[in-house]
């Protein structure tokens, strides 16, 4: 899932400076699951902003809503009219959701309440761990299902580096060396010979290091019954 975390309250307040009517809009998918921008978090932030406005003796009208996904036009369309009653929308979605919302609600300003962080798995309760950087060319089949892009501090494709010590990364003793994990997993799978394969120099063009990426699936066009 995409994981995000709420910006510090003072930063949110500064973004709303000068606006009297604010719609706080949550997103019911990834950021709800990671407890950063769902219905509950919308309600908590609204209470905090209301209390703050009262203490500062300023006027602020706060609306609350949460839609299924802010990264999907069909879920935004039904709230366009409601949003028109406000001066600004405070989006609690990931950066993709904020941008689609801003595009669809123009000229209404849309500001982000979250910092979007990474693609993660849920670990223990309240803990999310980065597992994928969306590199566009997955090599998990060669690495025992452990991602060297996201989990090695240097994103090495032929590791480990000289800093790996007793299974830990040289960056921090709290971080396992990804290449130790890969070695151990390949060993468990009986595929240690994979370690001898030298990965060629990586073509990073499918990754996020170039222009914005897009996917067009011809077979998916028109399946919803919508006309182009
Ligand atoms: S190799 Fe690329 S696509 Fe696969 S998990 Fe790692 S970052 Fe994600
Ligand atoms: S110690 Fe391991 S995880 Fe850390 S940078 Fe070196 S190879 Fe990568």
């Amino acid at each position: 899932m995409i994981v995000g975390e709420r910006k510090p309250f003072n930063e949110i307040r500064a973004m709303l400076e000068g606006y009297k009517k604010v719609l706080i809009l949550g997103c019911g998918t990834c950021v709800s699951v990671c407890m950063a921008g769902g219905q509950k978090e919308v309600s908590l932030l609204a209470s905090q902003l209301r209390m703050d406005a009262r203490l500062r003796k300023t006027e602020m009208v706060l609306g609350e809503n949460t839609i299924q996904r802010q990264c999907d036009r069909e879920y935004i369309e039904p709230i366009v009219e409601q949003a028109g009653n406000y001066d600004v929308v405070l989006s609690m979605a990931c950066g993709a959701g904020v941008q689609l919302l801003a595009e669809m609600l123009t000229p209404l300003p849309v500001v982000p309440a979250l910092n979007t962080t990474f693609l993660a798995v849920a670990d223990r309760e309240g803990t999310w761990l980065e597992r994928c950087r969306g590199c566009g060319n997955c090599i998990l089949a060669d690495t025992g299902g452990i991602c060297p892009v996201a989990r090695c501090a240097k994103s090495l494709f032929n590791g480990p580096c000289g800093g790996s010590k007793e299974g830990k990364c040289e960056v921090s003793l709290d971080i396992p060396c990804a290449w130790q994990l890969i070695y151990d997993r390949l060993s468990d799978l009986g595929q240690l010979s994979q370690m001898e394969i030298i990965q060629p120099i990586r073509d990073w063009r499918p990754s996020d290091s170039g222009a914005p990426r897009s996917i067009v699936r011809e077979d998916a066009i028109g399946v919803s019954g919508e006309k182009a």
Side-chain angles (χ1 to χ4, degrees), residues 137 139 157-158 198-206:
N137 188 4
I139 61 155
F157 280 74
N158 294 289
I198 305 293
Q199 294 284 343
I201 291 171
R202 176 82 165 177
D203 176 0
W204 286 102
R205 281 174 296 181

Side-chain angles (χ1 to χ4, degrees), residues 86-195:
Y86 294 86
D87 302 329
V88 64
V89 176
L90 178 60
S91 166
M92 297 195 77
C94 73
V98 176
Q99 290 183 62
L100 185 57
L101 200 60
E103 181 190 317
M104 290 185 68
L105 299 183
T106 302
L108 194 65
V110 176
V111 295
L114 304 189
N115 291 323
T116 307
T117 45
F118 44 73
L119 295 179
V121 294
D123 190 46
R124 295 186 303 276
E125 209 171 358
T127 306
W128 292 270
L129 304 174
E130 183 172 20
R131 286 293 180 262
C132 175
R133 295 246 171 102
C135 77
N137 188 4
C138 193
I139 61 155
L140 288 176
D142 297 339
T143 55
I146 292 164
C147 174
V149 184
R151 298 178 70 177
C152 168
K154 297 170 188 163
S155 294
L156 294 179
F157 280 74
N158 294 289
C161 72
S164 178
K165 200 169 169 199
E166 292 170 10
K168 302 293 181 192
C169 176
E170 66 175 340
V171 167
S172 163
L173 288 178
D174 295 331
I175 303 174
C177 167
W179 276 97
Q180 180 70 53
L181 296 176
I182 291 169
Y183 179 93
D184 293 343
R185 178 73 58 76
L186 289 174
S187 174
D188 290 345
L189 294 170
Q191 296 176 358
L192 262 186
S193 56
Q194 296 264 39
M195 288 292 293

Side-chain angles (χ1 to χ4, degrees), residues 39-72:
Q39 194 174 12
K40 188 169 147 220
E41 291 75 35
V42 166
S43 170
L44 283 171
L45 181 54
S47 305
Q48 213 176 344
L49 284 165
R50 234 172 249 124
M51 212 178 294
D52 178 70
R54 212 169 294 145
L55 287 173
R56 294 196 300 148
K57 300 191 183 354
T58 52
E59 205 184 306
M60 187 175 261
V61 176
L62 288 157
E64 301 173 38
N65 199 353
T66 299
I67 61 175
Q68 185 68 33
R69 282 198 295 276
Q70 290 188 30
C71 55
D72 208 329

